[in-house]
Amino acid sequence: MSDNAESPTETQKGDPSTPQQPTEDSGTADEKKKIDVLLKAVGDTPIMKTKKWSVEKGRTVQSLSLFISRFLKMEANEQLFIYVNQSFSPSPDQEVGALFECFGSDGKLVLHY
Amino acid sequence: MLLAFQMFSKSNPGSVSEMASCFLDEKTFCQCCQLLLEHSHSICDGWSWHWVKDPDEGYLRKIALGTGKLRTSSNPNQISEQYPQGTGSNQRQERTASLSLHTDDEDDDERYDDDYDAGAVCCMQEGGRSDVIRYEYHVLYSSSYQTPVLYFRASTLEGRSLSLEEVWDGVHPNYMQRLQHGPWDTITQQEHPLLGQSFFVLHPCRTEEFMMPVLQAALEEQRPVNYVVTWLSVVGSVVGLHVPLSYCTEVRPPPPPHTSSRPLKPPDQQTQPD
C-alpha cells in the first residue's frame, strides 16, 4: 500500500436525514468491499470538513492516518493518533475491515483522532 | 469511578469544568496490570508479572520473537530494511509475531514469582534473508511521571544486543518521522530502574498527549478505561509490540478507588494458564 494510494471515497452529502451512502454502485450490503467510517476529532485536533468516508476494508489504519494527516496539513513534528472505541489505539497495520467487524455499529465505524 | 481525578477551574470566572488527569497512581497501575494479565493468560499472549523484592516493585514483562534485516547481518553497509518506507505491506517484514516465548534457562538476576510458561510457538516470516530478533518488553511504573513506562531490549538469538540504530530501524514508519523530530520524546538507552541493566526506553513525556483524549472522553461519558491497556496500545505500536484488539474489548477497567478492591498480589498466585 503506497503512500499515494487513492483517498478514501467521500460519501455523498445529500439530505442529512438519509444515512450515509458509499459512492460506488455496490450491490447488496453484503457485497460491499467498503465500510463507512465516521471520523471524530478529540481535544484540540482540527475537525475534518468531511467526517464520513467510505473506506476499503483492506485499508490499514496507517494508510487512513496518513490520509487524515495530509488532509489536515499536519506538520512533520505532529503525530496523529487514532482511537477505536475511544479507548484503544489500533496497530497501524490493522485493517479497518477488522475494526469494523469488532467495533462497528449502525453500519459504520467511528474512529476518533 | 474512574482514575484519580483532579478538578480544575477554567480561567473564565464562574465556569468550572472537569478535566481528566492523565496521571496514574501506582495502586491503580497494579490493578490495571492484573486485569491485563488475566486476559493475556486467556489468549496466551505471553505477559507475565515479575516482582523485585529490593525496591518492592513489580513490572510486566513479555518476550516475543520477530524478524528483521539487521545492519550487521549479511550486508554490513546496507541500511536495515525492517521497515521500508512507503512500501506495501507485502514487502514489510513481519514484526513481532503474536506469540510468546518463555525460556526457563534465562540467566536474569531478578527473582521470578511467576514462572509462566507459554511454550514457544514459532510464527516466523519467510526465512532466508531475515534475522530473528528476540524482543523483551517491560512495563514499569514511573513515580516521577506517574505513568507507565515502556522499557525494551532486543537481541539476536546468538545473544548480540541490537544497537540503537537497529532499534530505530524497527520503529514503525507511522511514528518514525515524529519521533525523529522530537529529541525530548524519543528512544534512549537507560538503566532499568529495577534490574540495573541497559534497556531502551520510550520516553514517557508524551504520555499526556495521547492519553488525555481518551481519559477526558472516559470522564465525560462516565465510561472507565483500563489505563495500562490504552497506554500499551499506543506505545506498543511504536516499537512493534503487538497488542491484540481483544484487549480493548475484554479487559475491564480497575474497580473504583472507594470500593473494596481485590487484594493486590502478584498474579502468579491466581489461576495458572493452561
Side-chain angles (χ1 to χ4, degrees):
Chain A
M1 222 163 293
S2 70
D3 289 346
N4 296 323
E6 58 189 85
S7 308
T9 318
E10 182 176 338
T11 55
Q12 293 176 346
K13 298 178 209 160
D15 188 338
S17 63
T18 60
Q20 62 269 21
Q21 307 164 20
T23 55
E24 286 183 347
D25 275 338
S26 53
T28 63
D30 296 328
E31 295 170 0
K32 273 201 297 187
K33 296 286 190 293
K34 295 193 173 190
I35 56 151
D36 295 330
V37 174
L38 179 63
L39 298 173
K40 289 190 172 182
V42 294
D44 298 331
T45 314
I47 301 174
M48 301 263 291
K49 280 187 182 172
T50 306
K51 300 180 184 57
K52 298 174 190 170
W53 295 90
S54 189
V55 183
E56 288 164 8
K57 285 186 177 180
R59 194 128 181 183
T60 63
V61 168
Q62 179 186 3
S63 167
L64 193 61
S65 180
L66 265 173
F67 170 75
I68 299 173
S69 306
R70 289 176 175 165
F71 199 94
L72 297 178
K73 296 186 172 59
M74 283 174 59
E75 303 289 329
N77 61 346
E78 294 176 309
Q79 180 70 56
L80 186 80
F81 296 101
I82 300 227
Y83 305 95
V84 67
N85 208 27
Q86 268 187 290
S87 64
F88 194 86
S89 187
S91 159
D93 303 327
Q94 184 77 54
E95 291 184 355
V96 295
L99 292 180
F100 177 76
E101 287 172 17
C102 282
F103 305 104
S105 65
D106 296 331
K108 65 178 182 295
L109 172 69
V110 178
L111 294 177
H112 289 79
Y113 65 92
Chain B
M1 185 168 185
L2 301 168
L3 309 169
F5 287 110
Q6 302 169 19
M7 304 289 287
F8 294 93
S9 297
K10 271 190 173 177
S11 53
N12 301 331
S15 80
V16 176
S17 67
E18 194 174 4
M19 271 194 65
S21 165
C22 64
F23 299 117
L24 177 72
D25 63 282
E26 190 166 3
K27 177 181 174 183
T28 311
F29 167 76
C30 290
Q31 291 175 324
C32 290
C33 291
Q34 207 170 15
L35 293 160
L36 183 153
L37 275 157
E38 288 176 9
H39 182 66
S40 173
H41 288 168
S42 71
I43 63 171
C44 294
D45 195 34
W47 285 100
S48 55
W49 180 260
H50 298 269
W51 200 268
V52 179
K53 287 217 159 185
D54 202 346
D56 198 25
E57 285 182 40
Y59 63 95
L60 284 173
R61 189 185 90 155
K62 176 176 175 178
I63 296 174
L65 293 183
T67 58
K69 279 163 70 174
L70 299 176
R71 297 187 180 202
T72 56
S73 56
S74 54
N75 295 312
N77 297 323
Q78 187 175 4
I79 300 296
S80 170
E81 295 175 13
Q82 278 177 287
Y83 269 119
Q85 296 279 353
T87 56
S89 57
N90 58 346
Q91 294 183 34
R92 187 156 50 225
Q93 299 282 2
E94 180 72 21
R95 200 64 168 89
T96 53
S98 51
L99 56 85
S100 58
L101 173 68
H102 179 88
T103 57
D104 292 324
D105 56 348
E106 290 187 15
D107 53 342
D108 290 317
D109 294 329
E110 77 246 29
R111 282 188 46 175
Y112 290 144
D113 287 326
D114 178 13
D115 279 328
Y116 169 64
D117 188 0
V121 178
C122 264
C123 178
M124 317 273 230
Q125 193 72 348
E126 63 272 7
R129 310 194 312 162
S130 298
D131 297 293
V132 178
I133 305 170
R134 176 186 180 276
Y135 297 95
E136 186 174 342
Y137 301 99
H138 292 204
V139 176
L140 274 73
Y141 178 75
S142 165
S143 43
S144 325
Y145 287 92
Q146 292 188 54
T147 61
V149 183
L150 183 69
Y151 287 77
F152 63 100
R153 57 185 173 185
S155 62
T156 64
L157 290 185
E158 290 79 27
R160 178 182 76 78
S161 297
L162 263 63
S163 65
L164 184 58
E165 290 77 20
E166 287 170 321
V167 165
W168 268 108
D169 291 340
V171 171
H172 198 287
N174 194 46
Y175 304 98
M176 179 80 80
Q177 201 173 16
R178 169 67 161 94
L179 277 184
Q180 285 174 337
H181 268 83
W184 55 89
D185 51 12
T186 182
I187 299 174
T188 59
Q189 206 155 6
Q190 289 184 23
E191 184 179 293
H192 192 291
L194 303 179
L195 305 179
Q197 299 165 14
S198 178
F199 272 75
F200 295 108
V201 187
L202 197 56
H203 204 278
C205 67
R206 291 170 62 205
T207 305
E208 177 177 359
E209 180 183 325
F210 58 81
M211 287 302 298
M212 186 56 85
V214 173
L215 296 172
Q216 186 67 33
L219 173 64
E220 289 170 358
E221 299 178 13
Q222 292 291 297
R223 187 177 47 83
V225 297
N226 186 306
Y227 190 113
V228 175
V229 169
T230 300
W231 168 86
L232 193 63
S233 71
V234 178
V235 299
S237 298
V238 178
V239 295
L241 169 60
H242 180 53
V243 182
L245 279 179
S246 60
Y247 279 97
C248 174
T249 52
E250 301 300 320
V251 181
R252 296 186 312 278
H258 59 273
T259 60
S260 58
S261 53
R262 285 178 294 179
L264 278 177
K265 51 186 177 182
D268 60 338
Q269 299 176 22
Q270 296 176 1
T271 56
Q272 291 294 324
D274 294 335

